[in-house]
Amino acid sequence: MKPPTRMFLCSVTAGCAVLSVVGCSTTQTGTQNRESMLAASGFKVITPKTAAQQQKLQKLPPGKVTMIQKRGKTYYIFPDPAHNQAYVGGPREYQAYLQLRADKKLARENLETAEMYQDAAMEWSLWGGGEGVWGPMGGPGTF
C-alpha cells in the first residue's frame, strides 16, 4: 500500500468516526431545534392536567407534528413526552413552521454549496497529482 493511499484511508476512517458521533447527537439536537422552530412559529406549550390528557399525549407519534380536528377546528400537535408537554398550534402557526423549516433547509443548502466552491478554489491541480493519481489527463484541471 502506498503512503498516500494509507493516508487517504486514515482520513476516511476518521471522517466516518466523526460522522457517527455527530449522527448520535443530531437526534437530540434535531428535536430541540424542531421545538425551537415550533415556539418561534407561534405554537403554544401546554402541559396535560388530567390523566386522560396524559394518555393522549403518550399516544401521539413521537417526533412528528400530528393534525387533529376538535370542535370543528384544526390543530397541530407536537408531543414532548420527556418534558410532559406538547406544542399546539393552528393552521397559521403550522404554515409559519413549514416556512421556517423551508428557510432553514435553504440556508443549510447554501452553506453546503459555499463549502463545495471553497474546496474547488483550492486548485487541486497544483498539488502535483501524477498519472498514477489523476490518470493520463494529469488532474482535474484548472478551476
Side-chain angles (χ1 to χ4, degrees):
M1 189 183 289
K2 295 180 182 177
T5 306
R6 185 176 301 140
M7 194 165 68
F8 173 75
L9 289 175
C10 289
S11 297
V12 169
T13 304
C16 289
V18 169
L19 287 176
S20 67
V21 170
V22 171
C24 292
S25 66
T26 55
T27 303
Q28 183 178 6
T29 304
T31 301
Q32 291 171 344
N33 192 22
R34 182 175 293 147
E35 292 168 355
S36 296
M37 287 192 295
L38 289 164
S41 300
F43 277 68
K44 304 291 183 223
V45 177
I46 61 164
T47 304
K49 295 179 182 22
T50 66
Q53 290 173 340
Q54 181 68 35
Q55 286 178 335
K56 286 181 183 179
L57 175 65
Q58 296 297 325
K59 288 182 181 179
L60 290 170
K64 293 186 176 188
V65 177
T66 303
M67 182 186 79
I68 64 164
Q69 298 281 326
K70 187 172 182 179
R71 296 186 191 119
K73 292 187 177 182
T74 302
Y75 296 96
Y76 296 88
I77 302 174
F78 180 82
D80 182 4
H83 297 105
N84 192 38
Q85 62 188 19
Y87 292 81
V88 180
R92 185 178 316 137
E93 290 81 13
Y94 185 67
Q95 287 302 314
Y97 167 69
L98 292 177
Q99 184 62 49
L100 194 57
R101 281 185 54 166
D103 292 346
K104 190 172 191 88
K105 181 180 179 194
L106 183 60
R108 185 174 50 245
E109 287 173 355
N110 286 343
L111 176 62
E112 290 169 359
T113 301
E115 288 171 349
M116 182 178 67
Y117 282 119
Q118 182 179 8
D119 277 351
M122 291 185 69
E123 297 185 34
W124 292 105
S125 62
L126 299 178
W127 287 43
E131 187 169 300
V133 177
W134 297 110
M137 299 304 287
T142 58
F143 291 96

